[in-house]
Amino acid sequence: MTLLGKSFSVIILILSLTFMVLALAVNASHRNWRDVVTGPGGLKEQIQDYESTNEQLRDTQQRVEAALAREQAARRTALGALTTQLDQLKDQLQKREESYQQKEAQNTVFAQTDRSRALQLEELTAEANRLRQQIRKEQEDRDTLFTQTLKLTDQMNKLRGIVQIQSERNDQLMAQVTRYKEVVDSKGIDINEPLDGSPPDRNGTVLVINRPKKLIEVSIGYDDGLRSGHHLEVSRQGRYLGKVRVLKIEPERAVAEILPDFSQGTIQEGDRVDTTLD
């Protein structure tokens, strides 16, 4: 065999081996696509899994959207309630402002009344001075008319008899008044105390505050006409703070409970208390 023949034989052998390797590679890489698609764990099953997962995600999204809608509705309801409460508070504030304006108007009326009464007092004082002058003149006229009084002596005697009777009646009345005073004093009745049981016009200050028990101690007591059950008004520099009810009484101080229904501010030590508000 010549060199050329040997060369061709080698080339043919190499090509044969190459085609054999290619054939083995093609055979190894060959896949049954039907089994890949429809077999267990295939693409069809994966697609179904993905669709099932997608459906679950859609259900979850719908539930979340429904919950979000409910939450938004609840927030809108809460916002509406807060808006209503705000409107109520605004109405209360407007009413308080109107009440304050009414109090200011009343204060103005009272001030005008005080001024008018002061003017009336001046007029009455001037009238009293005129009356004094008139009395002096009448006394002078009386001296000049003394002679005429003699003619009225008989009438005066009659009048003396009437005066005597009235004097005796006055003595009787004085004796009765004295007796009534003795009875009143013996019974411990204060004639200046109001008949309806309301406290006299007194004022004092807050001495001690017990906030947990909602109690306060004030500087007026039994000697000031205060009794258990009386109500006191609390204020600070003209601002109304609330009302308290007297529970315990001592001669010069008392313990009262804070009435929450009338509270319009925080009561502090040193605040003013009044039995009545003008």
Side-chain angles (χ1 to χ4, degrees):
M1 180 180 296
T2 61
L3 180 60
L4 181 60
K6 293 180 181 179
S7 300
F8 280 116
S9 297
V10 172
I11 293 172
I12 292 170
L13 177 60
I14 293 173
L15 292 173
S16 298
L17 292 175
T18 301
F19 285 127
M20 183 181 68
V21 171
L22 290 175
L24 291 174
V26 170
N27 184 50
S29 63
H30 179 70
R31 300 179 65 182
N32 189 349
W33 294 105
R34 180 179 181 85
D35 293 338
V36 171
V37 173
T38 60
L43 294 177
K44 184 176 182 180
E45 184 175 349
Q46 292 180 7
I47 292 172
Q48 292 176 353
D49 292 339
Y50 292 152
E51 289 178 349
S52 176
T53 302
N54 190 23
E55 187 68 26
Q56 291 177 358
L57 291 175
R58 288 196 189 96
D59 294 339
T60 302
Q61 181 182 3
Q62 292 176 356
R63 289 195 298 271
V64 170
E65 290 177 351
L68 179 60
R70 290 194 298 271
E71 180 68 19
Q72 290 176 347
R75 293 295 176 85
R76 286 194 294 269
T77 302
L79 181 59
L82 291 175
T83 303
T84 302
Q85 185 178 4
L86 179 60
D87 293 337
Q88 293 176 352
L89 292 175
K90 288 181 178 179
D91 292 338
Q92 292 179 1
L93 178 60
Q94 183 177 1
K95 292 179 180 178
R96 296 286 173 80
E97 290 178 350
E98 291 175 355
S99 176
Y100 176 76
Q101 292 175 356
Q102 292 176 359
K103 295 294 184 182
E104 286 289 337
Q106 291 178 358
N107 188 22
T108 303
V109 172
F110 290 153
Q112 293 176 353
T113 302
D114 290 339
R115 287 194 293 270
S116 63
R117 288 181 178 177
L119 294 175
Q120 185 178 4
L121 179 60
E122 292 178 357
E123 293 176 355
L124 292 175
T125 302
E127 182 66 20
N129 292 330
R130 288 194 297 270
L131 290 175
R132 290 191 185 95
Q133 294 176 359
Q134 185 178 357
I135 289 172
R136 295 189 187 97
K137 186 177 181 300
E138 292 293 336
Q139 288 176 349
E140 293 174 356
D141 293 340
R142 184 193 61 185
D143 294 337
T144 60
L145 298 174
F146 178 73
T147 56
Q148 296 179 3
T149 59
L150 296 176
K151 297 178 182 180
L152 302 175
T153 303
D154 293 337
Q155 296 179 2
M156 289 180 61
N157 291 330
K158 294 178 181 179
L159 292 175
R160 285 194 184 97
I162 296 174
V163 170
Q164 182 65 29
I165 294 173
Q166 295 296 329
S167 178
E168 292 175 357
R169 178 58 178 164
N170 185 51
D171 293 339
Q172 293 176 359
L173 292 175
M174 289 298 295
Q176 291 179 0
V177 170
T178 302
R179 177 58 180 167
Y180 291 152
K181 187 176 185 303
E182 292 175 354
V183 172
V184 168
D185 293 339
S186 65
K187 297 296 184 179
I189 300 174
D190 186 5
I191 62 175
N192 296 318
E193 185 174 351
L195 296 178
D196 58 357
S198 60
D201 189 6
R202 298 288 187 273
N203 64 77
T205 58
V206 177
L207 300 177
V208 181
I209 300 176
N210 188 337
R211 298 196 187 279
K213 296 183 178 181
K214 297 182 178 179
L215 299 177
I216 65 171
E217 183 176 325
V218 298
S219 62
I220 53 177
Y222 190 90
D223 292 345
D224 299 300
L226 207 60
R227 301 293 183 268
S228 295
H230 283 171
H231 290 80
L232 302 176
E233 311 292 344
V234 184
S235 61
R236 185 186 310 123
Q237 296 179 353
R239 178 193 173 192
Y240 182 78
L241 298 177
K243 181 180 291 186
V244 299
R245 181 171 58 238
V246 177
L247 298 178
K248 296 181 181 180
I249 292 290
E250 294 183 5
E252 296 180 354
R253 60 185 58 200
V255 176
E257 65 173 341
I258 300 173
L259 300 178
D261 294 338
F262 299 90
S263 179
Q264 296 187 13
T266 302
I267 298 176
Q268 299 178 358
E269 296 179 357
D271 288 343
R272 177 184 174 116
V273 292
D274 294 87
T275 55
T276 56
L277 286 178
D278 296 334

